[in-house]
Amino acid sequence: MSLESEIDLPGGAVLPGALPEALRAELVAFRRDLHMHPELGNQEFRTTAAIKERLERAGLKPRVLSGGTGVICDIGTPLDMVTDTPMLAMRADIDGLPIPDMKADCPYRSTVPDRAHACGHDVHTTVVLGAGLVLAELHRQGALPRPVRLIFQPAEEVLPGGAADAIEDGALTGVGRIIALHCDPRVDAGKIGLREGPITSACDRLEIALDGPGGHTARPHLTTDLVTAAARVVTDVPALVGRRVDSRSGLAVTWGRIESGHAPNVIPQHAELSGTVRCLDLDTWRQAPDILVAAIDEVANLHRAKSEINYVRGVPPVVNEAGVTELLRDAMIARRGVESVEGTEQSLGGEDFSWYLEHVPGAMARLGVRTPGDRVVRDLHQGDFDVDEHAITVGVELFTAAALLDALR
């Protein structure tokens, strides 16, 4: 593989330019293959095998994580590159979602019932793979000044996320900085969104069971009216929480399921609720379980209902470190000019990339995947989600530039 062009930067840095057309086409085909065969978290065996095979074909030595899915692969080593500087890592998530692919007349729509790559993880995976192939070629040419690690992580969609397992498996050993990207259907392909500081929110899961003696709807005073109790938990708990934390922390409870009863004239003995807890602020997130449990117990006790609460810790906010954010900004500007970088807001979405940032500095960019001029937003986690595949080239060029610019710092 040869590079079609080069970009000379101040200080003597030389970055690879446009991707060879053959590699560009191969990466699009690779992404479409993943899109047609989505796999859920910790079940990504086919995806893992495809990544591993392509890296081996490039002369690399990928290692499958101990759980059987996910891959780690180093390009260069401190020994053969005469440097003890910690590596830059590039992380991709590889799992799909348990929803049907609703795209019509799409030749690469999912072939797996009720499974879809509706969050763009197939794009993330392809970008890191493509960057790895370009950097491996540079290494063979003696033009890669520092080693780089590729992390293909399983189970991002499974709370608390597969990042913790990857870290335990050594993903960050020898790593000093880490970068990632996430598809953003609100940003045009050819651009990225960046933000220093928090860029996502914390996300936890809340499951509640309410119990009490039921009875006839003619005699509610002799029962624990669990339907009313559940309804009050739904409405009163978020209101209580909103008065017990600083409103700027963005602590929000949103319910996704409520279930109770079977007949219109029978007060049930059991009710269940579940939802998510999201938070923009790291310190408030750490206090959230105690705050939520106390509020739920108060409301349940008021209605004489016994509550059983399962608070499932998810992920903290992704907090972009200033230096790594600047690295991504400089890399994108070197590629496509200052107009290719735009600011972005903090979202209420959760991302387990945050676990890596508990250990090393890093940053996540939002990769534009909307076709310029397209007014239809195909949002994440929806069955019709798709991307402008030009974004793959942009992501690869961003990450290869970041790896080379990182060596100048």
Side-chain angles (χ1 to χ4, degrees):
M1 177 177 65
S2 63
L3 302 171
E4 293 180 353
S5 62
E6 295 179 340
I7 302 172
D8 294 311
L9 297 179
V14 178
L15 302 184
L19 296 180
E21 186 57 40
L23 178 58
R24 192 195 319 269
E26 179 191 352
L27 293 177
V28 169
F30 188 90
R31 178 257 168 174
R32 292 186 176 191
D33 180 70
L34 295 185
H35 200 85
M36 293 173 67
H37 302 93
E39 298 172 298
L40 299 185
N42 296 316
Q43 301 173 24
E44 312 96 331
F45 297 104
R46 184 186 185 278
T47 303
T48 296
I51 295 166
K52 180 174 180 288
E53 187 278 332
R54 186 61 185 93
L55 292 172
E56 288 176 337
R57 192 149 40 93
L60 298 170
K61 296 180 180 179
R63 172 173 70 88
V64 175
L65 297 178
S66 59
T69 64
V71 175
I72 294 174
C73 184
D74 290 348
I75 302 170
T77 67
L79 290 178
D80 65 19
M81 303 180 78
V82 197
T83 177
D84 58 0
T85 303
M87 284 182 284
L88 175 72
M90 303 174 177
R91 173 268 199 174
D93 37 12
I94 67 175
D95 54 327
L97 284 164
I99 63 175
D101 189 334
M102 303 300 291
K103 294 189 294 296
D105 302 322
C106 177
Y108 52 85
R109 66 179 295 179
S110 173
T111 62
V112 185
D114 298 321
R115 302 287 185 268
H117 266 299
C119 199
H121 294 188
D122 52 337
V123 174
H124 308 167
T125 299
T126 304
V127 165
V128 173
L129 175 67
L133 296 177
V134 171
L135 293 171
E137 178 63 22
L138 289 176
H139 178 49
R140 279 190 288 271
Q141 298 171 7
L144 183 65
R146 287 184 186 167
V148 174
R149 174 165 296 163
L150 314 179
I151 302 172
F152 299 91
Q153 175 217 302
E156 189 276 332
E157 299 286 354
V158 182
L159 289 180
D165 293 332
I167 293 167
E168 186 176 347
D169 219 343
L172 292 181
T173 302
V175 169
R177 299 154 305 286
I178 188 167
I179 58 177
L181 47 73
H182 199 294
C183 291
D184 191 335
R186 301 165 303 170
V187 178
D188 284 350
K191 296 184 177 183
I192 63 169
L194 282 177
R195 175 187 175 89
E196 182 182 322
I199 192 171
T200 70
S201 80
C203 181
D204 299 334
R205 188 171 73 245
L206 187 60
E207 299 169 346
I208 306 169
L210 300 177
D211 290 283
H216 201 292
T217 55
R219 293 176 289 277
H221 59 291
L222 301 180
T223 73
T224 292
D225 187 349
L226 284 183
V227 172
T228 297
R232 299 306 300 190
V233 167
V234 166
T235 58
D236 291 354
V237 167
L240 280 175
V241 169
R243 292 298 177 267
R244 294 180 179 180
V245 299
D246 190 325
S247 59
R248 291 171 296 183
S249 69
L251 183 61
V253 182
T254 306
W255 306 104
R257 185 179 73 92
I258 179 170
E259 184 175 342
S260 186
H262 301 284
N265 61 344
V266 178
I267 294 174
Q269 299 179 10
H270 182 74
E272 294 181 357
L273 306 88
S274 59
T276 59
V277 180
R278 298 180 188 271
C279 186
L280 300 175
D281 177 70
L282 185 58
D283 289 337
T284 303
W285 174 73
R286 290 180 173 134
Q287 304 170 39
D290 292 339
I291 295 170
L292 264 295
V293 168
I296 293 164
D297 282 340
E298 284 182 35
V299 175
N301 290 337
L302 183 64
H303 294 274
R304 298 180 297 172
K306 179 183 177 181
S307 61
E308 182 177 334
I309 304 165
N310 181 26
Y311 194 107
V312 182
R313 262 309 195 195
V315 295
V318 172
V319 181
N320 282 350
E321 192 266 341
V324 184
T325 305
E326 191 65 25
L327 172 65
L328 289 172
R329 178 177 287 107
D330 290 346
M332 191 65 178
I333 290 173
R335 287 292 186 213
R336 295 178 176 269
V338 67
E339 71 284 350
S340 65
V341 180
E342 59 184 52
T344 190
E345 62 186 10
Q346 183 180 6
S347 79
L348 281 169
E351 235 291 350
D352 76 350
F353 181 65
S354 55
W355 290 124
Y356 297 102
L357 306 187
E358 297 280 298
H359 301 272
V360 297
M364 170 175 281
R366 293 207 167 112
L367 178 69
V369 296
R370 180 179 62 192
T371 299
D374 190 351
R375 296 186 178 183
V376 178
V377 177
R378 295 169 178 82
D379 205 2
L380 303 170
H381 287 225
Q382 300 298 311
D384 65 346
F385 177 75
D386 204 356
V387 305
D388 184 326
E389 291 172 320
H390 175 59
I392 295 170
T393 296
V394 175
V396 171
E397 293 183 349
L398 169 66
F399 274 12
T400 55
L404 294 171
L405 286 178
D406 183 58
L408 301 177
R409 303 192 171 205

